């Protein structure tokens, strides 16, 4: 068990190093000069050289990489060129917004996806199955950023039910002491703030959750179909249990493992999707800041954000593996 | 013939919807008295499992029951809706399945799987259901029942799992237990113990049973009465001893001859003679002609 954990930790370190290397190289070979973006028209060549030295951009590439890596190991991700602030502090401010968005979307996708799969299984060979199959097909065919635009048109413009941008309404004057607005409002029981933060999340969460819900529903329904013809389901029917109970108590436990594993993989795609969806809804998260960083060729900021995403991906995979083992008694004892 | 009847099947006929309406059951009638084990015997495709499934209201979608009645106690089962049938079956009919390796849910502990029916239909509390399950495991001579209750199915051997399933089948004191080839998937050395166990449990709980098998040797060991089927038609029925020792139908005679016995060594297997098969087919064709014509 301990050897396994040590092995996992070592693998995580190797993967993160790989991510760091790829990000570093890609950004250096991509066109665009961060110094050119920040200097005024009248800057002298001497100023440019001084600025390059200031941001550590004057050494050789391997040298720059080594310096950056060494600083990162001490928790120093550098200073943002465009915002002139510490990258770690910037990420610390924005990451919670993205995490709230992503986990709300994951929760909605799981609930919706599992519900659709169960309804489709209960309505096997009847209208229920056709409706569910049709709905998941539609949800799946439309990507998250198109959902975002559709939702804006529907609930932002046509029937303005939900706010279209930001995390909270500044005019409400709610004061937050942590960057987790929704969580903090929930914990401290500020009803108005909860409603406001939740309302701001509805559309971006749906845009991210709908395609994932469809994938979960598809895969889980397939697994449930397989489970529902097993002998233990027949025996449960002879015991006189209702179909709903059989699906949820007998079949779901055996069917959900592969679905959760896939959900984990898909969650990393959802994290990637937050970048564009945050942009559409002007949601002050990490993704939105990443786009600003790219526009400004803000190398330290981009590197920091990409590494943060990479770390989240690796962490997600770890959690998924542990969950799958935890759910399957055969693996748990093995 | 006014014996008390636990279950009677009257004139049950079924056809396959997939196979051009080919008959699967042909006017099958049989009666199970309380406390007796009634063997349903036949080759594969004879319709014995279809009868068992029909009693449970779980025939495959491709099988359509065209006529007949299945009466358990005073209730005709085929006329019940799904919900009524579930209530009745849950409390009064149990199944000992064919393959103990797949009939237990791999994700649930034995305790949960043995007590859920008790809590659902007999109003047991978690504690009293647990005590009842432990008693039952004791009755099927399970060693360390406390430990077994905490196990997942994969931690038990095939024979142990079949013991669990037998114990669970008798948990609600059902009126009828249907055993669907319960020893076929087991090791030969375990088969005999399991048969003895089913017999003992059935006698102890005074339960009626239908025992589906293709094995006349098993029938001789466990059944009080036998119905022999060929292609969905009853060929012969009667008390086990009569049917095996004094078979009347040519098919029964051939089957009894074909069954290997320790006291009658033979060189190789004895097939049922072609002439007997032809005669059976002619009998069935004559029956089909009479019902359709």
């Amino acid at each position: 068990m301990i050897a396994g954990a040590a092995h996992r930790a070592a693998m995580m370190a190797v993967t993160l190093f790989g991510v760091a290397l790829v990000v570093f190289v890609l950004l250096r070979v991509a066109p665009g000069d961060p110094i050119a973006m920040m200097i005024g028209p009248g800057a002298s060549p001497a100023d440019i050289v001084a600025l390059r030295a200031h941001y550590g951009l004057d050494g050789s590439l391997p040298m720059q990489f080594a310096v950056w890596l060494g600083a990162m190991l001490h928790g120093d991700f550098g200073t943002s060129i465009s915002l002139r602030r510490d990258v770690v502090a910037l990420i610390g401010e924005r990451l919670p917004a993205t995490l709230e968005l992503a986990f709300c979307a994951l929760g909605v996708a799981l609930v919706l996806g599992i519900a659709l799969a169960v309804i489709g299984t209960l309505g096997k060979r009847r209208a229920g199955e056709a409706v569910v199959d049709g709905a998941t097909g539609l949800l799946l065919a439309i990507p998250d950023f198109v959902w975002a635009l559709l939702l804006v048109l529907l609930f932002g413009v046509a029937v303005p039910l939900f706010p279209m941008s930001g995390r909270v309404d500044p005019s409400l004057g709610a004061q937050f002491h942590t960057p987790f607005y929704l969580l903090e409002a929930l914990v401290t029981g500020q009803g108005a703030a909860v409603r406001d933060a939740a309302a701001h999340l509805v559309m971006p969460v749906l845009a991210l959750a709908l395609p994932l819900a469809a994938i979960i529903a598809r895969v889980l329904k397939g697994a449930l179909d397989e489970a529902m013809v097993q002998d233990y389901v027949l025996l449960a029917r002879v015991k006189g249990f209702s179909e709903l109970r059989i699906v949820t108590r007998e079949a779901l436990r055996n069917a959900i493992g592969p679905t959760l594993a896939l959900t984990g993989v898909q969650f990393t795609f959802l994290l990637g999707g937050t970048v564009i969806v945050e942009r559409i809804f002007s949601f002050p998260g990490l993704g939105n800041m990443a786009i600003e960083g790219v526009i400004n060729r803000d190398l330290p900021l981009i590197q920091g954000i990409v590494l943060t995403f990479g770390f989240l991906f690796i962490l997600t995979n770890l959690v998924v593996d542990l969950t799958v083992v935890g759910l399957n008694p055969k693996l748990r004892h093995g | 013939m006014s014996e008390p009847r636990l279950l009677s099947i009257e004139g049950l006929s079924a056809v396959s919807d997939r196979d051009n309406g080919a008959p699967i059951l042909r006017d099958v009638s049989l009666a199970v008295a309380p406390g007796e084990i009634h063997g349903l015997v036949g080759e594969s495709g004879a319709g014995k499992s279809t009868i068992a499934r029909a009693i449970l209201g779980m025939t495959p979608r491709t099988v359509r029951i065209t006529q007949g009645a299945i009466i358990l106690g005073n209730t005709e089962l085929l006329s019940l809706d799904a919900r009524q049938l579930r209530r009745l079956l849950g409390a009064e009919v149990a199944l000992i399945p064919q393959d103990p390796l797949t009939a237990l849910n791999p994700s649930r502990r034995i305790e949960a799987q043995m007590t859920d029916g008790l809590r659902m239909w007999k109003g047991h509390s978690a504690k009293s259901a647990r005590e009842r399950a432990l008693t039952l495991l004791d009755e099927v001579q399970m060693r360390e029942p406390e430990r077994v209750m905490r196990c997942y199915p994969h931690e038990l051997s095939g024979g142990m799992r079949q013991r669990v399933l037998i114990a669970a089948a008798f948990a609600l004191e059902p009126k009828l237990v249907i055993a669907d080839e319960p020893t076929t998937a087991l090791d030969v050395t375990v088969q005999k113990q399991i048969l003895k166990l089913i017999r003992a449990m059935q006698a102890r709980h005074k339960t009626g049973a239908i025992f589906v098998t293709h094995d006349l040797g098993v029938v001789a060991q466990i059944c009080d009465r036998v119905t022999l089927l060929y292609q969905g038609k009853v060929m012969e029925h009667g008390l086990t001893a009569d049917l095996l020792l004094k078979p009347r139908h040519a098919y029964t005679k051939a089957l009894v001859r074909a069954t290997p016995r320790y006291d009658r060594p033979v060189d190789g297997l004895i097939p049922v003679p072609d002439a007997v098969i032809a005669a059976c087919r002619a009998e069935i064709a004559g029956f089909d002609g009479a019902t359709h014509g």
Side-chain angles (χ1 to χ4, degrees), chain A residues 125 230-235 237-243 245 249-251 253-254 327-333, chain B residues 53 56 58 61 86 89-90 93-95 99 102-108 113 116-117 120-121 152 154-155 165:
Chain A
R125 269 171 276 275
Q230 297 296 316
D231 284 356
Y232 58 79
V233 167
L234 173 79
L235 202 59
R237 288 202 172 109
V238 176
K239 284 181 184 175
F241 296 147
S242 70
E243 283 296 292
R245 178 174 167 144
R249 294 235 197 139
E250 303 278 346
R253 276 168 168 240
N254 294 297
L327 277 177
N328 187 334
K330 280 189 201 176
L331 295 176
R332 197 158 61 214
H333 291 265
Chain B
R53 293 296 185 93
L56 299 171
M58 289 171 198
R61 272 180 312 283
R86 265 206 318 263
L89 291 182
V93 181
L95 174 72
D99 187 353
T102 57
L104 287 166
N105 190 329
S107 308
R108 301 178 69 211
Q113 304 195 50
D116 52 6
M120 176 99 173
W121 298 119
Y152 286 95
H154 73 272
E155 299 171 81
L165 287 163

Side-chain angles (χ1 to χ4, degrees), chain B residues 73-203:
Chain B
N74 298 314
T75 317
E76 206 289 302
L77 300 185
L78 295 176
S79 61
L80 297 181
D81 68 30
R83 182 183 294 260
Q84 292 170 318
L85 185 64
R86 265 206 318 263
R87 278 198 86 85
L88 189 79
L89 291 182
E92 302 198 346
V93 181
L95 174 72
I96 301 175
Q98 177 166 15
D99 187 353
L101 299 186
T102 57
L104 287 166
N105 190 329
S107 308
R108 301 178 69 211
R109 289 178 197 278
I110 300 300
E111 175 167 356
Q113 304 195 50
M114 283 192 71
T115 54
D116 52 6
L118 285 165
R119 300 180 66 180
M120 176 99 173
W121 298 119
K122 298 282 172 176
H124 278 261
S125 67
K127 190 162 173 282
S128 70
R130 184 185 150 76
E131 275 160 17
R132 171 104 180 108
L134 283 170
T135 310
L136 287 157
L137 284 180
D138 208 45
E139 284 179 15
V140 296
Q141 294 146 34
M142 182 76 81
R143 268 177 242 149
E144 301 182 83
E146 296 268 358
R147 187 184 67 81
V148 167
M149 292 272 273
R150 286 191 303 270
C151 284
Y152 286 95
H154 73 272
E155 299 171 81
L156 304 179
S157 70
M160 288 169 87
R161 288 190 228 184
Q162 193 59 292
R163 278 166 200 269
V164 167
L165 287 163
I166 291 167
F170 288 92
L172 278 69
E173 299 288 358
K175 290 182 181 150
L176 178 73
V177 167
I178 297 175
D180 184 8
E181 308 228 15
T183 57
T184 309
L186 293 174
D187 199 272
V188 185
T189 53
V190 185
Q191 281 188 8
K192 195 152 187 165
Q193 298 170 23
I194 293 294
L195 285 180
K196 270 190 181 162
L197 197 60
I198 293 176
R199 179 92 242 193
M201 290 294 280
Q202 176 266 343

